Amino acid sequence: MLHTVVIAPDSFKGTIAAASAAAALGRGWQQVRPHDAVRLLPMADGGEGTVDAFATAVPGAQRMPVTVTGPEDTPVEASWVLLPPTGDAPNGTAVVELANTSGIELLGSPARLRPLDAHTRGFGEAIAAALARGVSRLVLGIGSSSSTDGGTGMLTALGARFTDAAGRPIAAGGRGLADLAAADLSGLPPLPAGGVTVLSDVTNPLLGPRGAAAVFGPQKGATPDDIAALDAGLAGLAVVMTADPDAPGAGAAGGTGFGLLAWGAILVPGSAAVAELVGLDEAVAEASVVVTGEGSYDGQSAAGKVPAHVGAVAAAGGVPVALVAGRITDDADVSGFAGTASLTDLAGSGAAAMAEPERWLVAAGAALAGALL
């Protein structure tokens, strides 16, 4: 009997993107069951790989190259994705991600982190390119940020002005926020007719101990003194802009969530929104089995992560779902999955799995194909 298999993993962060992970799982599955219909539906939550996931999952999606100013002030070759027209977006939807334009992965190594000087200008330049195309709707992924500039770089690229007490433009990055005296958003373009939807798996506010600087600053290289300065700068930004700094997600991407709220965007949980946009429900309804996964499945993974969402959709449709993860920790609840595969177990160690993720994802796909059907 032939089956339809939907493969819908998140990225295995730090090792392999969702689209590549889905492709590897699919190859492994078809080594064992070559006649099954395999549909690749890589997922994302707004971080690294969001553009790739849409490009793979949505028929007719077009990748649009763009050169932007990266977080080190050097040119970066990036891309956004144009989704085909729909009834509510007759001129198409643009998917733009912060990760491939202003993300921390672009800095390459800890020695190149710029906690005070990295910025979101490139992200804004890519958004401007999408708007110039005349799209009806923007979908923006804001994970994997390299900076804590409150989105000021992005907004400046779109036409806003942030000035000091003498009326001069402030420096780029979080450093410039210390001199901020005024914000003029009158030069921003109007939102496209279908609005701006922001994908984020972060609910942190802009300021304070759960804010952008305190929680995410250290991973961007910020020292305790830097964190205090950045939080103070973001507090000054909150004074001159009208968005709510306590709104869930305002602290996402170094405060870029706050900057987007000030423009009029809507912040939504990333995995659920991506699932809707790529047609996960419809794909699962036609499937015999679903395979999902992520890099580390632990006791926190049931809270809004991609495997939990995919699992819930499959369960609602009565379709068995399997889990693949780089590692599955002892505190993880896997009772809802029809089968599991750990790359660490298959490879013999976490280091071996991370060194060759594609190889072990192929092995995982083959193992599940043999076990589940």
Side-chain angles (χ1 to χ4, degrees):
M1 179 178 177
L2 303 184
H3 294 274
T4 298
V5 184
V6 169
I7 299 181
D10 197 356
S11 66
F12 286 55
K13 287 184 170 55
T15 57
I16 190 168
S20 298
L25 287 167
R27 289 198 302 276
W29 187 281
Q30 294 201 299
Q31 286 179 1
V32 176
R33 298 184 58 86
H35 301 298
D36 283 350
V38 173
R39 180 170 180 189
L40 305 183
L41 214 66
M43 300 290 292
D45 57 14
E48 180 187 11
T50 296
V51 158
D52 291 340
F54 277 97
T56 299
V58 179
Q62 299 179 59
R63 191 181 293 271
M64 311 297 290
V66 62
T67 302
V68 301
T69 306
E72 294 178 290
D73 298 319
T74 55
V76 166
E77 300 300 324
S79 64
W80 55 278
V81 164
L82 177 63
L83 303 184
T86 58
D88 57 351
N91 293 326
T93 294
V95 180
V96 188
E97 72 174 49
L98 188 150
N100 75 11
T101 53
S102 302
I104 195 167
E105 290 85 2
L106 297 174
L107 298 178
S109 69
R112 290 165 58 190
L113 294 176
R114 308 179 76 211
L116 296 177
D117 298 302
H119 53 73
T120 53
R121 178 179 167 186
F123 184 42
E125 291 170 345
I127 294 170
L131 289 173
R133 179 80 183 205
V135 297
S136 299
R137 177 173 58 186
L138 287 172
V139 175
L140 307 178
I142 61 170
S144 306
S145 167
S146 64
S147 64
T148 310
D149 73 350
T152 52
M154 169 199 66
L155 293 173
T156 298
L158 288 169
R161 294 186 74 247
F162 297 92
T163 52
D164 61 18
R168 298 169 300 204
I170 61 171
R175 187 186 304 276
L177 296 178
D179 299 320
L180 179 63
D184 178 2
L185 307 187
S186 63
L188 291 176
L191 301 183
V196 178
T197 300
V198 182
L199 310 177
S200 175
D201 63 351
V202 167
T203 59
N204 300 67
L206 182 67
L207 306 172
R210 292 187 59 248
V215 175
F216 306 110
Q219 69 194 38
K220 301 170 187 178
T223 67
D225 287 346
D226 293 336
I227 290 167
L230 289 167
D231 194 60
L234 292 171
L237 181 65
V239 170
V240 300
M241 296 215 297
T242 57
D244 180 6
D246 294 323
T256 302
F258 177 75
L260 286 164
L261 287 170
W263 188 28
I266 298 172
L267 273 60
V268 301
S271 56
V274 171
E276 179 180 356
L277 286 161
V278 303
L280 179 68
D281 286 25
E282 294 83 356
V284 168
E286 298 174 356
S288 308
V289 65
V290 177
V291 179
T292 187
E294 66 178 354
S296 176
Y297 195 82
D298 55 32
Q300 303 300 313
S301 293
K305 298 295 186 180
V306 164
H309 184 78
V310 173
V313 170
V319 180
V321 59
L323 170 73
V324 179
R327 63 169 188 155
I328 302 173
T329 64
D330 292 340
D331 65 338
D333 180 6
V334 297
S335 59
F337 294 104
T340 62
S342 161
L343 304 192
T344 295
D345 291 347
L346 289 169
S349 71
M354 293 181 71
E356 296 182 281
E358 189 169 338
R359 171 188 175 185
W360 298 110
L361 283 161
V362 171
L368 288 173
L372 291 176
L373 298 176

